[in-house]
Short mmCIF file of all heavy atoms in Angstrom, two decimals:
data_model
loop_
_atom_site.label_atom_id
_atom_site.label_comp_id
_atom_site.label_asym_id
_atom_site.label_seq_id
_atom_site.Cartn_x
_atom_site.Cartn_y
_atom_site.Cartn_z
N GLY A 22 2.41 5.70 10.20
CA GLY A 22 2.83 6.04 8.86
C GLY A 22 2.15 7.32 8.34
O GLY A 22 2.74 8.16 7.68
N ASN A 23 0.85 7.40 8.64
CA ASN A 23 0.08 8.62 8.18
C ASN A 23 -0.26 9.53 9.33
O ASN A 23 -1.21 10.25 9.25
CB ASN A 23 -1.19 8.11 7.50
CG ASN A 23 -1.05 8.05 5.95
OD1 ASN A 23 -0.50 9.00 5.36
ND2 ASN A 23 -1.43 6.95 5.42
N GLY A 24 0.56 9.45 10.37
CA GLY A 24 0.25 10.26 11.59
C GLY A 24 0.86 11.69 11.50
O GLY A 24 1.56 12.11 12.42
N PHE A 25 0.52 12.40 10.42
CA PHE A 25 1.02 13.77 10.27
C PHE A 25 0.40 14.63 11.37
O PHE A 25 -0.83 14.44 11.64
CB PHE A 25 0.69 14.30 8.87
CG PHE A 25 1.46 13.58 7.82
CD1 PHE A 25 0.98 12.36 7.33
CD2 PHE A 25 2.71 13.94 7.43
CE1 PHE A 25 1.69 11.59 6.40
CE2 PHE A 25 3.43 13.23 6.52
CZ PHE A 25 2.92 12.01 5.99
N LEU A 26 1.14 15.52 12.01
CA LEU A 26 0.64 16.10 13.23
C LEU A 26 1.00 17.58 13.38
O LEU A 26 1.84 18.07 12.66
CB LEU A 26 1.04 15.31 14.47
CG LEU A 26 2.49 15.31 14.95
CD1 LEU A 26 2.60 14.50 16.21
CD2 LEU A 26 3.46 14.71 13.92
N ASP A 27 0.27 18.26 14.27
CA ASP A 27 0.55 19.67 14.59
C ASP A 27 1.54 19.67 15.76
O ASP A 27 1.65 18.73 16.51
CB ASP A 27 -0.75 20.37 15.08
CG ASP A 27 -1.79 20.45 13.93
OD1 ASP A 27 -1.35 20.89 12.83
OD2 ASP A 27 -2.93 20.14 14.11
N LYS A 28 2.19 20.90 15.87
CA LYS A 28 3.25 21.05 16.87
C LYS A 28 2.75 20.68 18.29
O LYS A 28 3.45 20.01 19.05
CB LYS A 28 3.71 22.50 16.93
CG LYS A 28 5.18 22.69 16.69
CD LYS A 28 5.60 24.09 16.69
CE LYS A 28 6.91 24.11 15.89
NZ LYS A 28 7.21 25.34 15.28
N GLN A 29 1.55 21.11 18.64
CA GLN A 29 1.01 20.91 19.99
C GLN A 29 0.86 19.42 20.33
O GLN A 29 0.63 19.02 21.43
CB GLN A 29 -0.27 21.68 20.32
CG GLN A 29 -1.47 21.23 19.53
CD GLN A 29 -1.73 22.13 18.26
OE1 GLN A 29 -0.77 22.69 17.77
NE2 GLN A 29 -2.96 22.17 17.83
N ASP A 30 0.84 18.56 19.28
CA ASP A 30 0.65 17.11 19.55
C ASP A 30 1.94 16.33 19.61
O ASP A 30 1.94 15.10 19.83
CB ASP A 30 -0.27 16.51 18.42
CG ASP A 30 -1.61 17.14 18.45
OD1 ASP A 30 -2.16 17.46 19.50
OD2 ASP A 30 -2.17 17.44 17.30
N PHE A 31 3.11 17.03 19.46
CA PHE A 31 4.39 16.34 19.47
C PHE A 31 4.54 15.49 20.77
O PHE A 31 5.01 14.37 20.76
CB PHE A 31 5.57 17.30 19.38
CG PHE A 31 5.78 17.93 18.03
CD1 PHE A 31 6.72 18.89 17.83
CD2 PHE A 31 5.00 17.56 16.95
CE1 PHE A 31 6.97 19.47 16.59
CE2 PHE A 31 5.18 18.16 15.68
CZ PHE A 31 6.15 19.08 15.50
N LYS A 32 4.20 16.11 21.87
CA LYS A 32 4.53 15.48 23.18
C LYS A 32 3.68 14.22 23.43
O LYS A 32 4.09 13.33 24.19
CB LYS A 32 4.46 16.46 24.38
CG LYS A 32 3.13 17.16 24.56
CD LYS A 32 3.20 18.16 25.71
CE LYS A 32 1.95 18.91 25.90
NZ LYS A 32 1.36 19.56 24.70
N ASN A 33 2.53 14.13 22.80
CA ASN A 33 1.71 12.94 23.03
C ASN A 33 1.73 11.97 21.85
O ASN A 33 0.86 11.10 21.67
CB ASN A 33 0.21 13.35 23.24
CG ASN A 33 0.08 14.13 24.49
OD1 ASN A 33 0.71 13.83 25.45
ND2 ASN A 33 -0.79 15.17 24.49
N GLU A 34 2.74 12.12 21.01
CA GLU A 34 2.79 11.27 19.81
C GLU A 34 2.85 9.77 20.12
O GLU A 34 3.59 9.39 21.05
CB GLU A 34 3.92 11.71 18.90
CG GLU A 34 3.84 11.08 17.49
CD GLU A 34 4.81 11.67 16.53
OE1 GLU A 34 5.71 12.43 16.97
OE2 GLU A 34 4.71 11.31 15.33
N TYR A 35 2.15 8.98 19.37
CA TYR A 35 2.13 7.52 19.63
C TYR A 35 3.24 6.85 18.85
O TYR A 35 3.51 7.15 17.67
CB TYR A 35 0.78 7.03 19.07
CG TYR A 35 0.65 5.50 19.07
CD1 TYR A 35 0.27 4.80 20.21
CD2 TYR A 35 0.93 4.76 17.89
CE1 TYR A 35 0.18 3.42 20.14
CE2 TYR A 35 0.85 3.39 17.85
CZ TYR A 35 0.47 2.72 19.03
OH TYR A 35 0.37 1.39 18.98
N PHE A 36 3.96 5.97 19.50
CA PHE A 36 5.03 5.14 18.87
C PHE A 36 4.78 3.69 19.25
O PHE A 36 4.23 3.37 20.31
CB PHE A 36 6.38 5.53 19.41
CG PHE A 36 6.89 6.81 18.86
CD1 PHE A 36 6.57 8.07 19.50
CD2 PHE A 36 7.66 6.89 17.69
CE1 PHE A 36 7.03 9.26 18.99
CE2 PHE A 36 8.10 8.14 17.16
CZ PHE A 36 7.78 9.31 17.84
N TYR A 37 5.26 2.74 18.37
CA TYR A 37 5.19 1.32 18.66
C TYR A 37 6.50 0.72 18.12
O TYR A 37 7.16 1.35 17.34
CB TYR A 37 3.96 0.70 18.04
CG TYR A 37 4.07 0.63 16.53
CD1 TYR A 37 4.36 -0.57 15.91
CD2 TYR A 37 3.91 1.74 15.77
CE1 TYR A 37 4.50 -0.59 14.53
CE2 TYR A 37 4.05 1.73 14.39
CZ TYR A 37 4.33 0.55 13.77
OH TYR A 37 4.49 0.53 12.44
N HIS A 38 6.79 -0.48 18.60
CA HIS A 38 8.02 -1.13 18.21
C HIS A 38 7.71 -1.91 16.93
O HIS A 38 6.98 -2.84 16.95
CB HIS A 38 8.52 -2.08 19.31
CG HIS A 38 9.88 -2.58 19.15
ND1 HIS A 38 10.61 -3.16 20.11
CD2 HIS A 38 10.71 -2.54 18.03
CE1 HIS A 38 11.80 -3.50 19.66
NE2 HIS A 38 11.88 -3.11 18.42
N MET A 39 8.37 -1.48 15.81
CA MET A 39 8.05 -2.16 14.51
C MET A 39 9.10 -3.21 14.18
O MET A 39 10.27 -2.91 13.89
CB MET A 39 7.97 -1.10 13.40
CG MET A 39 7.41 -1.66 12.11
SD MET A 39 6.96 -0.47 10.90
CE MET A 39 8.52 -0.35 9.99
N LYS A 40 8.62 -4.46 14.17
CA LYS A 40 9.47 -5.58 13.84
C LYS A 40 8.71 -6.41 12.80
O LYS A 40 7.50 -6.42 12.83
CB LYS A 40 9.71 -6.49 15.05
CG LYS A 40 10.67 -5.83 16.03
CD LYS A 40 10.83 -6.72 17.30
CE LYS A 40 9.60 -6.61 18.19
NZ LYS A 40 9.54 -7.36 19.35
N THR A 41 9.41 -7.14 11.94
CA THR A 41 8.73 -7.99 10.98
C THR A 41 9.17 -9.44 11.25
O THR A 41 10.22 -9.74 11.80
CB THR A 41 9.11 -7.68 9.51
OG1 THR A 41 10.53 -7.82 9.38
CG2 THR A 41 8.73 -6.24 9.13
N GLY A 42 8.21 -10.37 10.87
CA GLY A 42 8.49 -11.76 11.08
C GLY A 42 8.04 -12.57 9.87
O GLY A 42 7.21 -12.07 9.05
N PHE A 43 8.57 -13.77 9.77
CA PHE A 43 8.25 -14.67 8.65
C PHE A 43 7.77 -16.00 9.21
O PHE A 43 8.40 -16.56 10.13
CB PHE A 43 9.43 -14.87 7.77
CG PHE A 43 9.19 -15.69 6.51
CD1 PHE A 43 8.47 -15.19 5.48
CD2 PHE A 43 9.67 -16.98 6.41
CE1 PHE A 43 8.26 -15.93 4.30
CE2 PHE A 43 9.48 -17.75 5.27
CZ PHE A 43 8.74 -17.19 4.23
N CYS A 44 6.69 -16.52 8.63
CA CYS A 44 6.22 -17.84 9.09
C CYS A 44 6.61 -18.91 8.05
O CYS A 44 6.28 -18.82 6.88
CB CYS A 44 4.68 -17.84 9.23
SG CYS A 44 4.00 -19.47 9.52
N LYS A 45 7.38 -19.87 8.52
CA LYS A 45 7.90 -20.91 7.61
C LYS A 45 6.80 -21.81 7.12
O LYS A 45 6.94 -22.48 6.08
CB LYS A 45 8.98 -21.75 8.29
CG LYS A 45 10.25 -20.92 8.58
CD LYS A 45 11.32 -21.76 9.20
CE LYS A 45 12.53 -20.89 9.61
NZ LYS A 45 13.52 -21.64 10.41
N GLU A 46 5.63 -21.89 7.78
CA GLU A 46 4.52 -22.69 7.40
C GLU A 46 3.66 -21.97 6.36
O GLU A 46 3.41 -22.51 5.28
CB GLU A 46 3.69 -23.04 8.61
CG GLU A 46 2.34 -23.57 8.39
CD GLU A 46 2.26 -25.07 8.28
OE1 GLU A 46 3.29 -25.73 8.57
OE2 GLU A 46 1.19 -25.59 7.86
N SER A 47 3.20 -20.76 6.65
CA SER A 47 2.27 -20.07 5.74
C SER A 47 3.08 -19.20 4.73
O SER A 47 2.43 -18.75 3.73
CB SER A 47 1.36 -19.13 6.51
OG SER A 47 2.10 -18.04 7.05
N LYS A 48 4.34 -19.01 4.94
CA LYS A 48 5.21 -18.21 4.08
C LYS A 48 4.80 -16.77 4.13
O LYS A 48 5.09 -15.98 3.17
CB LYS A 48 5.21 -18.68 2.60
CG LYS A 48 5.36 -20.16 2.41
CD LYS A 48 6.70 -20.69 2.85
CE LYS A 48 6.86 -22.15 2.52
NZ LYS A 48 7.89 -22.78 3.34
N MET A 49 4.10 -16.35 5.13
CA MET A 49 3.59 -14.98 5.24
C MET A 49 4.57 -14.06 5.95
O MET A 49 5.05 -14.34 7.02
CB MET A 49 2.27 -14.99 5.99
CG MET A 49 1.47 -13.72 5.98
SD MET A 49 0.96 -13.30 4.24
CE MET A 49 -0.69 -14.04 4.20
N PHE A 50 4.88 -12.98 5.24
CA PHE A 50 5.76 -11.91 5.77
C PHE A 50 4.80 -10.95 6.50
O PHE A 50 3.82 -10.52 5.91
CB PHE A 50 6.44 -11.22 4.57
CG PHE A 50 7.47 -10.16 4.92
CD1 PHE A 50 8.82 -10.34 4.69
CD2 PHE A 50 7.08 -8.95 5.53
CE1 PHE A 50 9.76 -9.37 4.99
CE2 PHE A 50 7.99 -7.97 5.82
CZ PHE A 50 9.34 -8.19 5.60
N GLN A 51 5.09 -10.65 7.77
CA GLN A 51 4.14 -9.82 8.48
C GLN A 51 4.76 -8.96 9.60
O GLN A 51 5.90 -9.26 10.03
CB GLN A 51 3.02 -10.70 9.09
CG GLN A 51 3.55 -11.84 9.96
CD GLN A 51 2.50 -12.96 10.08
OE1 GLN A 51 1.57 -12.83 10.81
NE2 GLN A 51 2.73 -14.07 9.39
N LEU A 52 4.03 -7.95 9.99
CA LEU A 52 4.49 -7.19 11.22
C LEU A 52 4.26 -8.08 12.39
O LEU A 52 3.30 -8.81 12.50
CB LEU A 52 3.63 -5.92 11.40
CG LEU A 52 3.80 -4.77 10.40
CD1 LEU A 52 2.89 -3.60 10.86
CD2 LEU A 52 5.20 -4.28 10.37
N ILE A 53 5.16 -7.94 13.39
CA ILE A 53 4.93 -8.75 14.60
C ILE A 53 3.85 -8.07 15.49
O ILE A 53 2.94 -8.74 15.88
CB ILE A 53 6.30 -8.94 15.32
CG1 ILE A 53 7.13 -9.88 14.45
CG2 ILE A 53 6.09 -9.53 16.77
CD1 ILE A 53 8.48 -10.27 14.94
N ASP A 54 3.92 -6.78 15.62
CA ASP A 54 2.86 -6.04 16.33
C ASP A 54 2.29 -4.96 15.38
O ASP A 54 3.05 -4.35 14.61
CB ASP A 54 3.33 -5.33 17.57
CG ASP A 54 3.85 -6.38 18.57
OD1 ASP A 54 3.13 -7.29 18.94
OD2 ASP A 54 5.03 -6.24 19.01
N GLN A 55 1.00 -4.72 15.46
CA GLN A 55 0.44 -3.62 14.67
C GLN A 55 -0.43 -2.76 15.59
O GLN A 55 -1.16 -3.35 16.44
CB GLN A 55 -0.46 -4.22 13.56
CG GLN A 55 -0.94 -3.23 12.51
CD GLN A 55 -2.01 -3.70 11.58
OE1 GLN A 55 -2.75 -4.62 11.96
NE2 GLN A 55 -2.02 -3.14 10.40
N PRO A 56 -0.40 -1.46 15.44
CA PRO A 56 -1.30 -0.61 16.23
C PRO A 56 -2.75 -0.96 15.96
O PRO A 56 -3.12 -1.56 14.92
CB PRO A 56 -0.99 0.82 15.76
CG PRO A 56 0.33 0.72 15.14
CD PRO A 56 0.45 -0.68 14.55
N ASN A 57 -3.69 -0.49 16.85
CA ASN A 57 -5.13 -0.80 16.65
C ASN A 57 -5.60 -0.13 15.36
O ASN A 57 -5.14 0.99 15.00
CB ASN A 57 -5.94 -0.19 17.79
CG ASN A 57 -5.80 -1.10 19.00
OD1 ASN A 57 -5.38 -2.28 18.89
ND2 ASN A 57 -6.09 -0.56 20.17
N MET A 58 -6.54 -0.77 14.70
CA MET A 58 -7.07 -0.26 13.44
C MET A 58 -7.63 1.18 13.57
O MET A 58 -7.41 2.03 12.67
CB MET A 58 -8.23 -1.17 12.93
CG MET A 58 -7.79 -2.52 12.61
SD MET A 58 -6.61 -2.57 11.23
CE MET A 58 -7.66 -2.86 9.86
N ASP A 59 -8.29 1.49 14.68
CA ASP A 59 -8.94 2.79 14.76
C ASP A 59 -7.89 3.89 14.97
O ASP A 59 -8.22 5.07 14.83
CB ASP A 59 -10.07 2.83 15.76
CG ASP A 59 -9.67 2.26 17.12
OD1 ASP A 59 -8.46 2.01 17.29
OD2 ASP A 59 -10.49 2.09 17.97
N LYS A 60 -6.68 3.57 15.36
CA LYS A 60 -5.59 4.59 15.39
C LYS A 60 -5.19 4.96 13.98
O LYS A 60 -4.72 6.12 13.75
CB LYS A 60 -4.36 4.01 16.09
CG LYS A 60 -4.39 4.04 17.60
CD LYS A 60 -2.98 3.97 18.18
CE LYS A 60 -2.80 4.46 19.55
NZ LYS A 60 -3.89 4.35 20.46
N MET A 61 -5.31 4.03 13.00
CA MET A 61 -4.81 4.29 11.65
C MET A 61 -5.90 4.75 10.68
O MET A 61 -5.59 5.59 9.85
CB MET A 61 -4.17 2.94 11.14
CG MET A 61 -3.03 2.46 11.98
SD MET A 61 -2.32 0.96 11.33
CE MET A 61 -3.52 -0.27 11.76
N PHE A 62 -7.08 4.19 10.87
CA PHE A 62 -8.14 4.49 9.83
C PHE A 62 -9.32 5.19 10.56
O PHE A 62 -10.04 4.53 11.31
CB PHE A 62 -8.62 3.19 9.15
CG PHE A 62 -7.45 2.43 8.52
CD1 PHE A 62 -7.02 1.22 9.12
CD2 PHE A 62 -6.71 2.93 7.50
CE1 PHE A 62 -5.97 0.55 8.65
CE2 PHE A 62 -5.63 2.23 6.97
CZ PHE A 62 -5.23 1.02 7.55
N HIS A 63 -9.56 6.41 10.23
CA HIS A 63 -10.51 7.20 10.97
C HIS A 63 -11.02 8.36 10.10
O HIS A 63 -10.72 8.42 8.89
CB HIS A 63 -9.92 7.75 12.27
CG HIS A 63 -8.51 8.19 12.06
ND1 HIS A 63 -8.17 9.30 11.27
CD2 HIS A 63 -7.32 7.67 12.48
CE1 HIS A 63 -6.88 9.43 11.23
NE2 HIS A 63 -6.30 8.48 11.94
#
Side-chain angles (χ1 to χ4, degrees):
N23 265 313
F25 296 86
L26 70 176
D27 293 315
K28 236 180 206 155
Q29 69 263 24
D30 299 322
F31 288 176
K32 57 183 181 308
N33 294 324
E34 192 170 9
Y35 172 84
F36 288 87
Y37 70 104
H38 193 167
M39 189 168 91
K40 288 175 284 180
T41 59
F43 183 73
C44 171
K45 291 181 185 171
E46 164 89 11
S47 68
K48 316 291 184 199
M49 191 64 90
F50 185 113
Q51 54 201 284
L52 288 183
I53 291 184
D54 297 305
Q55 188 191 30
N57 284 340
M58 295 298 265
D59 50 9
K60 276 201 160 32
M61 300 181 285
F62 308 108
H63 41 64

